[in-house]
Amino acid sequence: VRNMIMERNKNAIMSNQSTEKALRIMEYLASCGRPMRLLDISEALEINSSTAGRFLNALINCGYVIQDPETLRYSMTYKICRIANMINVENDVKIQQITHPYLEQISEIFDESSCVSIERDMEMVYIDVYTGRGRALMSRQRIGNTAPMHCTGNGKLCLLNYSEEQLDRLICQRGLPRFTEYTLTTKEALMERLEEIRKVGYACDEEECEIGMRCLAYPIRDYTRRIIGGISITGPSSRLNSEVLMNKAHYLQTAAEEISSKLGY
């Protein structure tokens, strides 16, 4: 019996290693952007040529890889894209299922309210919100509500994706309306702030939407590496002060990174 168990464990380990090798080959071919020779693949992944060839043939049989009959080079098919579209990571409900446990944790840690919003048509749409016990959200922060990009933490993170031409289009179509005396209402001021955000990796709303309310936000990225939204903590400036942010910001950053990882980043 002991020998049978050992043999079964050995087979399971070998199977796992085989799966890892096949996935590494797929990832490598996808990253190359051009058809590759068997020798290139085996050397890059440090896999024996005959072993790599065996895995490539299996991937061909499953429709994930093709081999050019003339050059004998290998490349990925679009079958993996069909699977990705079936998953549809930008589906709001699926994102919410991923984010909600993190919002609960973050709200407990900060003792404030938290939310996730994503970009839709040059606006931020709130798809998940968690209100801390006895804590208030800003008036806009309700699931399904929208908010401008230029004065919200999550919105400014998404603006990092924008070229200057896209930013001009946003200003033309949406404007940069003033909500408080701290709202950024000029292109120059907004671009300067975006450059600061790009350097530090997070964004704040310093009473730009509502007087007395502060927000700290970290980016959520998907499998394309693009920022699709953000996770943020919101509270009165008096409570969500610099000392609190300095001591606890890393919890929010970690949550954003883990959510992004689950979305394929």
Side-chain angles (χ1 to χ4, degrees):
V1 174
R2 182 182 177 186
N3 289 338
M4 289 177 61
I5 293 174
M6 291 177 64
E7 185 65 26
R8 204 160 45 233
N9 290 340
K10 180 181 177 181
N11 290 337
I13 292 171
M14 291 179 63
S15 176
N16 288 339
Q17 291 175 342
S18 297
T19 302
E20 290 174 5
K21 288 176 181 177
L23 290 172
R24 287 175 60 204
I25 289 173
M26 292 176 68
E27 290 175 351
Y28 176 71
L29 288 175
S31 68
C32 288
R34 66 184 188 280
M36 303 300 293
R37 299 179 306 165
L38 175 60
L39 182 61
D40 297 326
I41 298 168
S42 63
E43 288 183 350
L45 300 178
E46 299 181 347
I47 299 174
N48 180 277
S49 293
S50 60
T51 301
R54 188 168 68 252
F55 286 121
L56 284 163
N57 287 334
L59 291 170
I60 289 171
N61 291 336
C62 292
Y64 291 101
V65 171
I66 56 172
Q67 183 182 31
D68 189 301
E70 296 183 2
T71 66
L72 301 182
R73 293 174 181 255
Y74 298 89
S75 58
M76 291 286 293
T77 69
Y78 287 98
K79 185 175 181 179
I80 196 74
C81 296
R82 190 174 75 216
I83 294 176
N85 287 333
M86 289 167 64
I87 297 172
N88 190 18
V89 297
E90 290 194 10
N91 181 276
D92 295 357
V93 174
K94 290 181 180 178
I95 296 177
Q96 187 186 58
Q97 290 172 348
I98 293 171
T99 61
H100 199 73
Y102 290 99
L103 290 188
E104 292 185 14
Q105 293 171 14
I106 290 300
S107 289
E108 289 294 324
I109 290 169
F110 282 85
D111 195 22
E112 300 291 354
S113 298
S114 57
C115 70
V116 169
S117 58
I118 59 175
E119 181 188 359
R120 287 286 186 272
D121 192 26
M122 294 189 291
E123 288 185 312
M124 300 307 295
V125 179
Y126 292 99
I127 64 166
D128 198 6
V129 172
Y130 188 86
T131 306
R133 291 191 300 270
R135 300 310 190 190
L137 287 163
M138 287 191 286
S139 58
R140 293 177 179 273
Q141 293 179 327
R142 299 287 184 272
I143 292 177
N145 281 3
T146 61
M149 300 182 71
H150 71 291
C151 58
T152 56
N154 291 344
K156 281 178 281 192
L157 290 170
C158 287
L159 285 178
L160 297 180
N161 297 322
Y162 278 42
S163 65
E164 187 171 354
E165 180 181 341
Q166 289 173 313
L167 190 59
D168 288 336
R169 187 159 62 248
L170 168 77
I171 294 171
C172 178
Q173 295 184 22
R174 299 288 185 183
L176 300 175
R178 181 182 296 278
F179 296 96
T180 75
E181 60 184 296
Y182 302 109
T183 306
L184 303 174
T185 57
T186 67
K187 175 184 173 182
E188 292 73 25
L190 181 57
M191 290 185 69
E192 184 177 344
R193 181 66 58 80
L194 293 177
E195 191 56 37
E196 293 173 1
I197 294 169
R198 202 182 306 277
K199 291 177 182 177
V200 298
Y202 61 85
C204 292
D205 165 5
E206 298 285 0
E207 301 184 71
E208 298 163 48
C209 283
E210 292 186 22
I211 290 294
M213 298 297 286
R214 172 178 281 170
C215 161
L216 173 68
Y218 276 88
I220 294 175
R221 300 175 184 268
D222 68 3
Y223 64 99
T224 68
R225 303 188 176 219
R226 187 173 183 274
I227 298 173
I228 61 167
I231 179 172
S232 60
I233 194 78
T234 300
S237 303
S238 58
R239 286 202 306 262
L240 208 56
N241 54 45
S242 299
E243 183 180 357
V244 171
L245 295 182
M246 183 175 64
N247 292 332
K248 296 184 178 181
H250 65 280
Y251 292 109
L252 189 61
Q253 180 180 9
T254 299
E257 290 172 351
E258 291 185 6
I259 292 169
S260 297
S261 177
K262 290 180 179 180
L263 292 175
Y265 174 62

